[in-house]
């Protein structure tokens, strides 16, 4: 087991330095794998949001934006690369902090830190190439006019992020918004803020201009709500639950403030009868047991072709029972605890409701017997599910998969699309044409073929329906933080000639 670090005692990161929260309040940090309180984080309130937004506004327009918002992309890229380098230097201590904060296996948090660094580097490249894309001409049907576009940073952005990938989800917003030239106020989840506060320390070390990124931790209603309704915040980007997404959209609507929302999911994985069973079983497991299923894109509804269903489920149960469920710091752990007691109780309730509605808990469904403390839940497989059951319809955000069988391709697609959500979907089959047909038929923003979950910073990420709108990652992630201005010039020497000129007499 890795050595336990001391949890740094941080304040709010505002205007390039640490600042005590105005009301002096702090929130406990609980390690969900041990239930021990291991530190605390500052609890920001509306007063702090005011100061942070003012710092971001000042940084946006300081010296006419010469040092940040209107600086060459290469200037911003240098800072993003410096942040990436520091993340790499501190990879193992950041991964450890995140594991202690969230309960996810150390192998996962280490991989997440690699993704964090790669995301900062990717958007550094895009910041540089943004300058080349400026002034791109628009072809017009009248030759006495010329038009081009400018891509400009949208302004001060509020970034509200969840606890399931604490630093990575923050980075998916921080890196492109800073690359675009925005300045930002980040409000991470109160359930896992430690690594986001360390990002503040890293910003200080790389001498990021004060106020370009501000980090305020605290409760959603106390710190997130005043940020999303603040008149000087030009855009809000949010990842989290659909319920909170609706609140944020309502608050933003009062000021016609743009939002991008990445919300919940209930994504399907369709498995046909022409597959290698063990390979498909492993993807099914990765799709819903990685990060204990606390993934917005988790493929938590498994659709099995009736011909292989029995054999598949036998293998799935065997593989699931073989998962190492342990303290997330233990070598080889593949399932840690869930993030909090509340989440733990919520998942158990989902399982008991499924049982009372007539579903079968084929495997798991309870606390693993060898773990007496911590918010652990066994990998859980639920069968005999009907489409009216809660377990089929609602997002669990836990290591729980529900299973249905299908006979035909069209039946599989109908079941897959039987959800209010539309984030992701996956299909496993050796028939390439069928996979392409299904990719088109699924009502989701992401489709995986012959896998589930692999994510690349270059490819767009986001959902349809109640999973939200807007796309993160790739060049679409940068566009999220840019506004487009058309500049049109009249270039003829002739007068316009619409009105009669007045007499010169
Ligand atoms: N799509 C995703 O990636 C995520 C989905 N969820 C879903 O949400 C459920 C509940 O988890 P929560 O932690 O309660 O998610 P949440 O949606 O309440 O929290 C996400 C972020 O929103 C903030 N927030 C909460 N209320 C707010 C408000 N009124 N105004 C502005 N910001 C606010 C929180 O402080 C946090 O930073 C989970 O069980 C899961 O089903 C949770 C986290 C991530
Ligand atoms: C792709 N992955 C699994 C790393 C992140 C998913 C994002 C989310 O759960 O909000």
């Amino acid at each position: 087991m890795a050595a336990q670090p001391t949890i740094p005692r941080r304040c709010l990161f505002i205007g390039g330095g640490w600042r005590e929260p105005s009301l002096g309040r702090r929130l406990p940090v609980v390690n969900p794998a041990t239930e021990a309180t291991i530190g605390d984080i500052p609890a920001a309130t509306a007063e702090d949001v005011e100061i942070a937004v003012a710092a971001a506004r000042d940084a946006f327009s300081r010296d006419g934006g010469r040092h940040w918002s209107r600086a060459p992309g290469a200037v911003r890229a240098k800072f993003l690369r410096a942040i990436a380098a520091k993340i790499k230097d501190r990879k193992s201590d950041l991964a450890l902090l995140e594991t202690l904060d969230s309960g996810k296996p150390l192998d996962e948090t280490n991989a997440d830190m690699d993704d964090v660094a790669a995301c900062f580097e990717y958007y550094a490249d895009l910041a540089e190439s943004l300058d080349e894309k400026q002034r791109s001409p628009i072809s017009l049907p009248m030759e006495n006019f010329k038009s081009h576009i400018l891509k400009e940073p949208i302004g001060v952005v509020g970034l509200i992020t969840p606890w399931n990938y604490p630093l990575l989800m923050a980075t998916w917003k921080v890196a492109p918004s800073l690359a675009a030239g925005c300045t930002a106020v980040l409000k991470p989840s109160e359930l896992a803020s430690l690594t986001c506060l360390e990002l503040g320390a890293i910003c200080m070390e790389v001498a990021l201009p004060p106020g370009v990124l501000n980090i305020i931790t605290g409760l959603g209603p106390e710190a997130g709500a005043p940020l999303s309704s603040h008149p000087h915040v030009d855009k809000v980007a949010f990842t989290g639950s659909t319920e909170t997404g609706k609140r944020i959209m309502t608050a933003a609507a009062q000021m016609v403030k743009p939002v991008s929302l990445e919300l919940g999911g209930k994504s399907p994985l369709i498995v046909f009868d022409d597959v290698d069973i063990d390979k498909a079983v492993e993807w099914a497991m990765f799709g819903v047991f990685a990060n204990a299923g606390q993934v917005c894109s988790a493929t938590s509804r498994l659709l099995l072709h009736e011909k292989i269903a029995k054999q598949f489920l036998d293998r799935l149960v065997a593989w699931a029972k073989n998962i190492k469920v342990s303290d997330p710091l233990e070598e080889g752990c593949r399932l840690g605890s869930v993030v909090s007691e509340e989440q733990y109780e919520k998942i158990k309730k989902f399982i008991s409701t499924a049982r009372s509605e007539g579903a079968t808990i084929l495997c798991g469904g309870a606390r693993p017997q060898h773990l007496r403390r911590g918010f652990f839940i066994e990998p859980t497989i639920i069968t005999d599910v009907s489409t009216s059951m809660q377990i089929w319809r609602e997002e669990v955000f836990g290591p729980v998969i529900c299973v249905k069988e299908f006979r035909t391709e069209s039946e599989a697609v109908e079941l897959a699309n039987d959800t209010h959500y539309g984030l992701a979907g996956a299909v496993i089959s050796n028939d390439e044409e069928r996979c392409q047909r299904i990719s088109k038929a699924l009502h989701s923003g992401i489709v995986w073929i012959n896998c589930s979950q692999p994510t690349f910073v270059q490819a767009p990420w986001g959902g349809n329906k109640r999973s939200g709108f807007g796309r993160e990652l790739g060049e679409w992630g940068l566009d999220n933080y840019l506004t487009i201005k058309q500049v049109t010039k009249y270039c003829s020497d002739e007068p316009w000639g619409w009105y009669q000129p007045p007499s010169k007499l």
Side-chain angles (χ1 to χ4, degrees), residues 161-163 187 190 220 224 238 240-241 244 263 296 343 346 395:
T161 57
W163 42 261
K187 209 305 277 171
E190 58 274 30
F238 171 74
S241 64
T244 303
L263 309 175
C296 54
Q343 193 65 17
K346 196 175 139 188
E395 178 175 56

Side-chain angles (χ1 to χ4, degrees), residues 307-384:
K307 272 201 202 148
I308 54 154
K310 164 128 193 18
Q311 195 193 353
F312 194 98
L313 283 174
D314 287 348
R315 293 303 293 158
L316 183 61
V317 169
W319 277 74
K321 288 194 167 151
N322 201 38
I323 291 180
K324 178 166 178 172
V325 187
S326 71
D327 185 290
L329 296 175
E330 261 184 45
E331 179 102 31
C333 173
R334 284 293 173 269
L335 190 71
S337 68
V338 298
V339 74
S340 66
E341 183 167 15
E342 195 185 332
Q343 193 65 17
Y344 176 71
E345 294 300 335
K346 196 175 139 188
I347 297 166
K348 284 200 310 187
K349 185 88 193 346
F350 267 106
I351 296 168
S352 64
T353 303
R355 192 182 279 119
S356 67
E357 287 184 345
T360 302
I361 313 303
L362 188 63
C363 130
R367 159 187 289 283
Q369 280 181 356
H370 65 289
L371 293 163
R372 319 216 100 185
R373 291 191 75 74
F375 308 120
F376 292 91
I377 297 187
E378 292 169 319
T380 301
I381 302 165
I382 303 185
T383 54
D384 299 317

Side-chain angles (χ1 to χ4, degrees), residues 49-70:
V49 172
E50 278 305 324
I51 302 168
V53 171
R57 278 235 86 79
D58 179 54
F60 190 80
S61 52
R62 195 180 303 136
D63 294 327
R66 254 182 303 131
H67 300 298
W68 191 258
S69 52
R70 288 175 188 275

Side-chain angles (χ1 to χ4, degrees), residues 81-124:
R81 289 203 183 98
I83 292 172
K86 291 278 177 196
I87 301 272
K88 286 182 186 165
D89 288 350
R90 291 191 54 186
K91 172 178 161 177
S92 50
D93 88 270
L94 289 171
L96 185 51
L97 273 182
E98 200 152 287
T99 287
L100 294 172
D101 209 3
S102 69
K104 77 160 80 170
L106 202 51
D107 286 343
E108 288 196 36
T109 49
N110 268 297
D112 290 351
M113 294 311 131
D114 290 337
D115 289 347
V116 166
C119 187
F120 275 109
E121 283 169 351
Y122 175 78
Y123 281 106

